[in-house]
Amino acid sequence: MIALPASTRIWIVAGVTDLRRGFTGLSAMVQTKLGESPFSGHVFVFRGRRGHLIKVLWWDGQGLCLFAK
């Protein structure tokens, strides 16, 4: 289980995202589309085209974590 600080925001990115993107592509999307820093400690959730796959991008203080479900 991942323990998130109480001040952590969870951003759900609206629309469909090309989930072939990795760390750099999703980080760039956070910066350009949302105007947020991917290194802020907030959680960013992206949805695939068919809706059966999501990716979660999170900075844990030591590096970016990319989770897929």
Side-chain angles (χ1 to χ4, degrees), residues 33-46:
K33 303 261 177 160
L34 298 175
E36 291 290 322
S37 171
F39 308 109
S40 62
H42 299 305
V43 176
F44 301 95
V45 180
F46 303 90

Side-chain angles (χ1 to χ4, degrees), residues 1 3 8 11-13 15-16 21 23 26 29-30 33 35-37 39 41 46-48 50-54 63:
M1 180 153 180
T8 302
W11 293 79
I12 300 174
V13 180
V16 176
R21 296 179 183 204
F23 290 103
L26 294 175
M29 189 174 196
V30 167
K33 303 261 177 160
E36 291 290 322
S37 171
F39 308 109
F46 303 90
R47 177 186 179 271
R50 289 187 277 172
H52 72 285
L53 181 65
I54 64 168

Side-chain angles (χ1 to χ4, degrees), residues 1-11 38 40-45 56-61 63 65 67:
M1 180 153 180
I2 299 170
L4 298 174
S7 62
T8 302
R9 290 183 178 172
I10 298 175
W11 293 79
S40 62
H42 299 305
V43 176
F44 301 95
V45 180
V56 177
L57 187 68
W58 173 55
W59 172 261
D60 68 352
C65 300
F67 302 100

